[in-house]
Amino acid sequence: MDFRTTFRPLTVQPEQIEQKSFQIIDDEIGEHSFAEQQYAIVQRVIHASADFELGKSLLFHPRAIEAGISAIRAGKKVVADVQMVQVGINKARLEKYGGSVHVYISDDDVMKEAKRLNTTRAIVAMRKAVKEADGGIFAIGNAPTALLELIRLVKEGEARPGLIIGLPVGFVSAAESKEELAKLDIPFITNIGRKGGSTVTVAALNALSILAERG
Amino acid sequence: MDFRTTFRPLTVQPEQIEQKSFQIIDDEIGEHSFAEQQYAIVQRVIHASADFELGKSLLFHPRAIEAGISAIRAGKKVVADVQMVQVGINKARLEKYGGSVHVYISDDDVMKEAKRLNTTRAIVAMRKAVKEADGGIFAIGNAPTALLELIRLVKEGEARPGLIIGLPVGFVSAAESKEELAKLDIPFITNIGRKGGSTVTVAALNALSILAERG
């Protein structure tokens, strides 16, 4: 492949773009009451969504960041609800600590069981995940049903996640599932309202692994 | 894997959730001037973002939907700027017409060339894409630099995309790149402002393939 015919010098590098973006966010965010490490996550969520309202709607359990950093440094598994979340996560940083990212929603046994039970694959995937990723980080950006099932499993003592990042998006059950999550006294990062999604869930997780790396 | 111990009947099915969500969007969107097929795309973008402002900011070139449907039915390649866009796209519907989704940003030759030229992988990936996916649909949800490079290649007669879905998100160059796209007289779907992203780009493409299927 010869790219030279169309070559033109370009000065803007990805690192410069990111730094400039963060500066704009700092300049425009206005008042907030996030702690320093929380703000590092808020900032990256805004960077990924260009949505200050969404970033400022984030809620952190008091132990969320400490627990997330510990789980990453201990090489605990990260569970993504959907493949879009899985592929967006920076694996190199997790792998340094022995960590890895898993998604169960398209597993053969999950699809088969969801059909048999006439329920969603997202729900069945969570039942599998809590068995395979004890103490791990659950990053849910798409399916409210996955988050609701995870909350149920926590309440019934069948799941002990290290951290839940619960940021599903949508009009049916998304806001409600996040309200339920915010009632739990276990480490969570979530937000108020309908907004969320795979890209902001990825942003939150990646921000956390940067914090873990910085020490 | 035995899921039965935690089984509970659940009545809400994915199709029902989607239909209920679309109903809420119809009820809440208020006034707009989108044509029927355009609205099908706007609706799915709002569904993916829970953001009416973002959905209502969409801009359609007059031939955008017709051109997109033609490209899908002709089995033209879909190019994604990043893997998150690639994995989110419904491949089964494209494959019916012989179509497929490609992402070049992590190709060895692209990474090597970007390093050599001291530029972004996103830019070099676009130079490769226009050679490999002539007449295809370019779905850009992440990198403004990719969109700006694609626009340059179009202007210089080196690219003939069937449709550009240009919805990158961000604080540096995203809005500007979309303004440039909107000046072209070739089929595009874009929006005004900083917002966008992989999930809404996927939503727009998937909405289009549903329209192609419906005939």
Side-chain angles (χ1 to χ4, degrees), chain A residues 1-8 10 12-14 17 20-21 24-25 28 46-52 83-85 87-88 109-110 113 116-120 123-124 127-128 131-132 145 149 152-153 156 158 169-172 194-199 202, chain B residues 1-8 10 12-14 17 20-21 24-25 28 46-52 83-85 87-88 109-110 113 116-120 123-124 127-128 131-132 145 149 152-153 156 158 169-172 194-199 202:
Chain A
M1 177 75 33
D2 180 13
F3 304 93
R4 277 166 298 183
T5 52
T6 56
F7 173 65
R8 234 185 239 187
L10 278 141
V12 181
Q13 292 301 303
I17 295 172
K20 200 172 163 192
S21 301
I24 295 170
I25 294 166
E28 294 188 20
I46 295 171
H47 180 247
S49 61
D51 191 337
F52 287 92
Q83 215 193 340
M84 277 189 80
V85 172
V87 300
D109 57 347
V110 168
E113 190 67 3
R116 199 182 67 78
L117 298 176
N118 191 30
T119 188
T120 71
I123 286 174
V124 180
R127 292 178 192 171
K128 182 169 179 178
K131 289 175 184 168
E132 307 236 333
T145 53
E149 180 66 7
R152 187 184 73 76
L153 291 163
E156 298 194 358
E158 294 185 49
V169 59
F171 293 89
V172 176
R194 292 165 167 175
K195 289 180 180 179
S198 300
T199 48
V202 164
Chain B
M1 178 76 33
D2 181 13
F3 304 92
R4 277 166 298 183
T5 53
T6 55
F7 173 63
R8 236 185 237 187
L10 278 140
V12 180
Q13 293 300 303
I17 295 172
K20 200 171 163 194
S21 300
I24 295 170
I25 295 166
E28 294 188 20
I46 295 171
H47 180 247
S49 61
D51 191 335
F52 287 94
Q83 216 193 340
M84 277 189 80
V85 171
V87 301
D109 57 347
V110 168
E113 190 67 3
R116 199 183 67 79
L117 297 176
N118 191 30
T119 187
T120 72
I123 286 174
V124 180
R127 293 178 192 172
K128 182 169 179 178
K131 289 175 184 169
E132 307 235 332
T145 54
E149 180 65 8
R152 187 185 72 77
L153 291 164
E156 298 194 0
E158 295 185 48
V169 59
F171 293 88
V172 176
R194 291 165 167 176
K195 289 180 180 179
S198 300
T199 49
V202 164

Side-chain angles (χ1 to χ4, degrees), chain A residues 164-178:
Chain A
I164 301 176
I165 300 176
L167 292 167
V169 59
F171 293 89
V172 176
S173 305
E176 295 82 351
S177 70
K178 293 182 282 191

Side-chain angles (χ1 to χ4, degrees), chain B residues 94-200:
Chain B
L94 299 176
E95 283 163 8
K96 276 197 219 172
Y97 305 101
S100 50
V101 187
H102 303 265
V103 61
Y104 300 102
I105 198 160
S106 297
D107 288 3
D108 282 340
D109 57 347
V110 168
M111 294 205 277
K112 212 168 152 184
E113 190 67 3
K115 201 165 184 180
R116 199 183 67 79
L117 297 176
N118 191 30
T119 187
T120 72
R121 290 195 285 142
I123 286 174
V124 180
M126 276 302 121
R127 293 178 192 172
K128 182 169 179 178
V130 298
K131 289 175 184 169
E132 307 235 332
D134 193 48
I137 299 178
F138 286 68
I140 298 174
N142 188 70
T145 54
L147 183 54
L148 287 168
E149 180 65 8
L150 180 58
I151 292 166
R152 187 185 72 77
L153 291 164
V154 167
K155 284 181 179 171
E156 298 194 0
E158 295 185 48
R160 287 156 300 272
L163 169 68
I164 301 175
I165 301 176
L167 292 167
V169 59
F171 293 88
V172 176
S173 306
E176 295 82 351
S177 71
K178 293 183 282 192
E179 274 171 39
E180 287 306 308
L181 176 59
K183 288 178 194 164
L184 296 184
D185 185 23
I186 61 163
F188 63 75
I189 299 172
T190 187
N191 78 322
I192 299 165
R194 291 165 167 176
K195 289 180 180 179
S198 300
T199 49
V200 297

